[in-house]
Amino acid sequence: MEPPPEPEPEPQSLSEASAAAPLRAPEVARLREEQEKVVTNCQEKIQHWEKVDSDYSALQERLRTLPDKLSYDVMVPFGPLAFMPGRLVHTNEVTVLLGDNWFAKCSAKQAIGLVEHRKEHVRKTIDDFKKVLKNFESRVEFTEDLQKMSDAAGDIVDIREEIKSDFEFKGKQRIAHKPHSKPKTSNIFEAEFENEVKSKDLLADEELWARLEELERQEELLGELDSKPDTGIANGEDTVSSEEEKEDEGTGLNVVPPATDSLAPGSCGMLARNASSHLNCSVNGSNSYHSNEEDEDDDAADDVDDDDDDNYNGNESDHTISADNSVPTIYFSHTVEPKRVRINTGKNTTLKFSEKKEEAKRKRKSSAGSHATHELPAIRSPADIYRVFVDVVNGVYVPRKSILKSRSRENSVCSDTSESSADVDDRRAVLRSLGREEAPGTDVDDRRAVLRSLGREEAPGTDVDDRRAVLRSLGREEAPGTDVDDQRAVLRSLSREEAPGTDASASISEEPQENRPKKLLPSGVSEAFSGIVIEKEFSSPSLTPHSAIAHHALPTIPERKEVLSEALEEPAKRVSKFKAARLQQRN
Amino acid sequence: MPGREVRADDRAAPVSAPTAIAHSEALDSKIKLQNIIVDELSNLKKNRKVYRQQQNSNIFFLEDRTDMLSESKNKLDELRKEYQALENSETTKVKTQSP
């Protein structure tokens, strides 16, 4: 008695399928056929139910007049084919079938009531069928129009995204942010940045410190972008900004590489909307960009492509199928940056660095001299943390599910930590990330104190900068899922190495000193450790107080000492001029 | 046979097809049916019994012959009128379309 739902989903699925796939005449025709089948079916059902309704009406009439006579002369059927004359008596006694072979004896009037109730049900059924019929008639109409349109237009826009199956997105629900990705700054901004570098030395505001940090970061990332093509950044900026809402807090810490990274796909999305023909070029540009980026590798290279974001947004916004467009196929592509960063933060994990990163680092070091590019991301919000901890899986940036968990076992080739600068940097990144992980609030105070102690004691001057660079680089490179504990271990070991002879009193005396420099930190540090960790050379005597402080905050992992010692040696030169300036001011 | 019985089937009218042509065809068949009924009823001898079948069942109720005849004739006339009306509307449509 209910309208059959079966015909509905079938043409529905067909319609959906046809909507998803390019409009092809045979499929549209088939859709139309199916819809017409439904329409016909509905009509038949309606016809049947209307007959039932009329039967009930006739029965009602008969029942109404039945008790008028005591008996009726009838032709009584016996068997399907024979009749014999008879009499219908007890005209007021009616046995009504209630269903399931249950009967009820009632009067004619009661029977009339029952019949009325059944008629109500029948009417409802007829109404439902009529609704379905109407609905599908309109659908048929629409399909006809669609057919006519497709025949007439000839040029149907087909928006496709070629999905490369070799990528594995682990964090499907989440989109991998680009590290340090508060972009929206153009390369022009980079130039300004370089100019401003020198002028910042004189100011001593907290804002200035923040600015210095930003600039430092940008300087680092600038190194990445040296060889990257400038692909119409101006255009993409707006799109990028709109698309990267989730990433950007508007702190202005726009790092250039993310801007350009996101630019290409952003322009992808934007141009797709505009249906411009050079969309494919921008896609290609982004691809080339990423190939460049591979060469340019950097510690902060956890620059996740926010292509995913852009492309998601682009995909969402560009789903229209307009038959009237003469736009050719619009191709989306999720660009990939196949960098691999692994940080050895435990017994079995290794610190792996891509050789290109090392090259880039060396290049940077040579070019910048002592101004090492610091990849210290300013963590100003919880989202920033996720920007830092981005993993690279098969060349694709995926968000890490937990920044507290180690992913070092995945894709890791467990080998001894080499004594290359790569490892050093990696460990630095570990430290830095550890510093950053304090933001989430686990043992925040402890670690913050530790790290601050490490960071504050910049008395030695250049050493401090070096160490800071070390820590920062370590923290940044730790992207692929180092444990908090591991990082803590790294940090601790670092601090331990720095202070072979712990002096508790010295450490205590350092405390007030810590507090003062604390205020000098940029305002963004308030909620999280912004990574201004100042590493100490384990050889320097001033490290003793730090280690003492570190000690009671974190236990050391002795086995990492030798590893980290090597790490510490390397960053000695990697202090940027800003850092140097700042440290000097602090001192 | 003392009384031949004629049974009048009370046919349920089919749902009119959406198109006018189908509707007119259905009407046409109904009209033919009614014609036969009327002819048969008018051709009955006086002593014949006429039974009417209860809808959707096999039971036949005895009815008066004259009443049945008049009823059938009325029905036939109605059907004819309807058919005529339909025909007229179709012709007017055709006339409006043709020039």
Side-chain angles (χ1 to χ4, degrees):
Chain A
M1 298 263 283
E2 297 298 337
E6 301 91 36
E8 295 184 24
E10 183 190 332
Q12 260 176 6
S13 64
L14 275 168
S15 65
E16 285 161 16
S18 73
L23 289 170
R24 284 194 279 261
E27 292 180 356
V28 174
R30 196 186 153 209
L31 171 69
R32 192 166 160 220
E33 279 173 24
E34 292 292 332
Q35 285 173 346
E36 278 169 3
K37 268 192 216 170
V38 172
V39 168
T40 318
N41 185 33
C42 274
Q43 283 172 342
E44 287 168 7
K45 294 263 167 73
I46 287 171
Q47 194 173 353
H48 168 260
W49 284 109
E50 281 183 352
K51 180 183 173 290
V52 170
D53 189 56
S54 75
D55 288 347
Y56 272 126
S57 301
L59 180 64
Q60 257 182 333
E61 271 307 308
R62 178 58 76 179
L63 285 169
R64 205 167 288 136
T65 62
L66 203 62
D68 295 347
K69 277 167 73 172
L70 277 173
S71 66
Y72 287 87
D73 290 320
V74 290
M75 270 294 179
V76 180
F78 57 99
L81 303 167
F83 295 89
M84 77 177 288
R87 268 214 155 93
L88 189 70
V89 294
H90 299 291
T91 51
N92 205 29
E93 291 168 28
V94 180
T95 306
V96 178
L97 172 68
L98 304 175
D100 192 28
N101 269 348
W102 280 91
F103 292 88
K105 204 170 210 178
C106 50
S107 71
K109 272 193 179 172
Q110 289 165 342
I112 286 166
L114 271 162
V115 168
E116 190 59 44
H117 179 259
R118 290 184 192 181
K119 270 173 75 175
E120 190 64 44
H121 192 268
V122 167
R123 254 179 254 135
K124 205 170 81 174
T125 309
I126 288 173
D127 288 344
D128 290 344
F129 271 117
K130 280 186 177 164
K131 281 182 203 166
V132 170
L133 181 77
K134 193 172 146 190
N135 189 13
F136 271 87
E137 274 174 351
S138 66
R139 283 195 200 185
V140 165
E141 215 178 286
F142 170 74
T143 314
E144 280 179 22
D145 292 344
L146 192 65
Q147 222 169 5
K148 285 177 199 165
M149 230 168 39
S150 65
D151 294 341
D155 236 2
I156 302 235
V157 178
D158 184 9
I159 299 172
R160 285 187 195 155
E161 181 183 0
E162 291 160 359
I163 296 170
K164 299 164 192 171
S165 58
D166 53 308
F167 295 156
E168 291 169 9
F169 287 92
K170 287 194 182 179
K172 273 184 186 177
Q173 303 301 326
R174 292 165 51 206
I175 295 163
H177 292 297
K178 198 160 197 158
H180 326 297
S181 58
K182 293 159 194 176
K184 288 95 172 160
T185 57
S186 61
N187 288 339
I188 301 164
F189 181 71
E190 276 187 354
E192 294 168 350
F193 161 84
E194 284 174 344
N195 293 335
E196 290 172 47
V197 160
K198 296 153 194 171
S199 63
K200 295 294 177 184
D201 295 354
L202 306 175
L203 306 176
D205 289 342
E206 287 184 3
E207 299 170 0
L208 200 59
W209 292 125
R211 180 74 183 136
L212 273 174
E213 288 179 12
E214 292 177 31
L215 293 170
E216 287 164 15
R217 262 172 255 122
Q218 285 156 5
E219 187 186 336
E220 285 173 339
L221 295 163
L222 175 61
E224 292 177 354
L225 292 177
D226 283 345
S227 63
K228 277 158 199 166
D230 295 347
T231 56
I233 290 160
N235 264 353
E237 270 185 0
D238 294 339
T239 0
V240 163
S241 59
S242 64
E243 288 170 346
E244 290 176 349
E245 293 167 19
K246 36 196 162 179
E247 304 168 9
D248 194 4
E249 286 178 344
T251 57
L253 296 178
N254 287 337
V255 187
V256 178
T260 27
D261 285 348
S262 59
L263 176 65
S267 61
C268 263
M270 184 193 71
L271 293 171
R273 287 180 214 113
N274 298 334
S276 76
S277 59
H278 63 279
L279 179 67
N280 292 332
C281 299
S282 64
V283 172
N284 297 336
S286 70
N287 290 332
S288 66
Y289 161 74
H290 290 290
S291 61
N292 287 336
E293 235 183 350
E294 291 176 30
D295 299 333
E296 288 288 333
D297 203 353
D298 187 19
D299 293 346
D302 311 348
D303 285 351
V304 179
D305 232 3
D306 55 356
D307 285 349
D308 295 345
D309 304 337
D310 296 317
N311 281 333
Y312 288 146
N313 291 330
N315 289 340
E316 289 165 2
S317 59
D318 294 295
H319 69 286
T320 56
I321 299 172
S322 58
D324 301 330
N325 274 351
S326 60
V327 179
T329 308
I330 296 164
Y331 291 97
F332 284 113
S333 75
H334 288 69
T335 52
V336 171
E337 187 173 330
K339 288 182 201 168
R340 290 195 177 271
V341 181
R342 285 286 173 264
I343 286 176
N344 190 354
T345 56
K347 291 181 188 176
N348 298 324
T349 58
T350 59
L351 201 56
K352 271 187 6 178
F353 231 128
S354 69
E355 292 174 5
K356 289 174 179 174
K357 274 190 193 173
E358 296 173 26
E359 287 169 11
K361 256 182 243 158
R362 285 174 202 135
K363 189 171 85 181
R364 242 180 289 115
K365 283 172 202 167
S366 61
S367 64
S370 67
H371 305 303
T373 56
H374 292 285
E375 317 125 0
L376 191 65
I379 295 178
R380 290 168 195 268
S381 80
D384 297 345
I385 296 159
Y386 288 95
R387 222 163 275 128
V388 172
F389 299 112
V390 179
D391 305 324
V392 180
V393 175
N394 295 332
V396 169
Y397 286 107
V398 295
R400 195 183 310 165
K401 285 173 188 168
S402 165
I403 60 175
L404 301 178
K405 297 222 169 152
S406 168
R407 285 186 55 211
S408 52
R409 289 203 195 86
E410 303 171 359
N411 308 328
S412 72
V413 175
C414 290
S415 65
D416 281 339
T417 56
S418 68
E419 325 208 349
S420 62
S421 63
D423 294 334
V424 167
D425 291 335
D426 289 344
R427 284 170 223 126
R428 258 181 269 148
V430 170
L431 271 174
R432 216 177 303 132
S433 68
L434 174 62
R436 254 163 248 124
E437 279 186 341
E438 302 200 349
T442 54
D443 297 340
V444 167
D445 294 339
D446 283 348
R447 287 187 225 120
R448 245 187 238 165
V450 172
L451 286 167
R452 270 187 224 117
S453 71
L454 286 170
R456 285 306 141 47
E457 293 169 62
E458 311 175 347
T462 53
D463 284 346
V464 170
D465 295 336
D466 296 345
R467 285 168 234 127
R468 205 191 306 160
V470 171
L471 277 171
R472 240 180 281 127
S473 68
L474 276 167
R476 220 173 296 157
E477 289 157 10
E478 75 93 57
T482 54
D483 260 354
V484 173
D485 294 336
D486 288 343
Q487 291 160 354
R488 229 182 294 162
V490 172
L491 184 59
R492 281 172 230 145
S493 55
L494 188 72
S495 58
R496 281 287 159 82
E497 294 163 22
E498 297 165 2
T502 63
D503 187 353
S505 60
S507 67
I508 291 164
S509 67
E510 294 285 351
E511 292 283 357
Q513 194 180 351
E514 289 177 8
N515 296 334
R516 279 187 288 104
K518 236 188 253 188
K519 292 159 194 168
L520 293 178
L521 280 175
S523 56
V525 178
S526 57
E527 74 278 24
F529 181 63
S530 68
I532 308 173
V533 176
I534 302 186
E535 312 89 346
K536 310 263 168 170
E537 296 282 349
F538 59 90
S539 56
S540 81
S542 65
L543 291 173
T544 53
H546 307 296
S547 63
I549 295 158
H551 277 206
H552 56 238
L554 306 161
T556 53
I557 295 180
E559 61 217 2
R560 305 236 38 87
K561 270 186 196 171
E562 58 279 5
V563 171
L564 289 164
S565 62
E566 293 140 3
L568 288 171
E569 288 170 12
E570 189 64 21
K573 303 162 192 170
R574 291 181 39 134
V575 180
S576 76
K577 36 198 166 179
F578 309 116
K579 280 290 180 201
R582 195 192 329 174
L583 291 170
Q584 277 178 6
Q585 282 221 358
R586 282 187 187 161
N587 297 334
Chain B
M1 283 204 199
R4 249 199 303 172
E5 295 113 9
V6 174
R7 292 156 201 167
D9 287 337
D10 197 359
R11 292 174 205 278
V15 174
S16 61
T19 60
I21 298 166
H23 188 55
S24 67
E25 282 174 3
L27 266 181
D28 206 23
S29 64
K30 273 188 222 167
I31 285 171
K32 284 181 192 169
L33 210 68
Q34 280 299 115
N35 261 329
I36 293 165
I37 290 169
V38 169
D39 290 339
E40 285 287 332
L41 281 171
S42 56
N43 209 22
L44 274 177
K45 289 187 182 173
K46 304 297 172 185
N47 59 349
R48 304 295 187 209
K49 291 182 199 170
V50 179
Y51 291 85
R52 183 208 291 269
Q53 184 184 21
Q54 183 60 28
Q55 214 165 0
N56 204 33
S57 78
N58 257 349
I59 195 157
F60 293 87
F61 287 90
L62 189 68
E63 300 287 340
D64 192 28
R65 183 181 60 86
T66 51
D67 293 342
M68 290 297 286
L69 182 61
S70 53
E71 192 184 319
S72 303
K73 279 185 182 174
N74 290 337
K75 201 170 171 194
L76 180 66
D77 292 337
E78 281 170 17
L79 284 173
R80 276 187 184 154
K81 280 180 198 169
E82 199 179 325
Y83 186 75
Q84 283 297 320
L86 195 66
E87 288 284 305
N88 292 340
S89 65
E90 281 180 6
T91 50
T92 50
K93 274 189 210 168
V94 168
K95 279 177 192 172
T96 52
Q97 285 169 6
S98 54

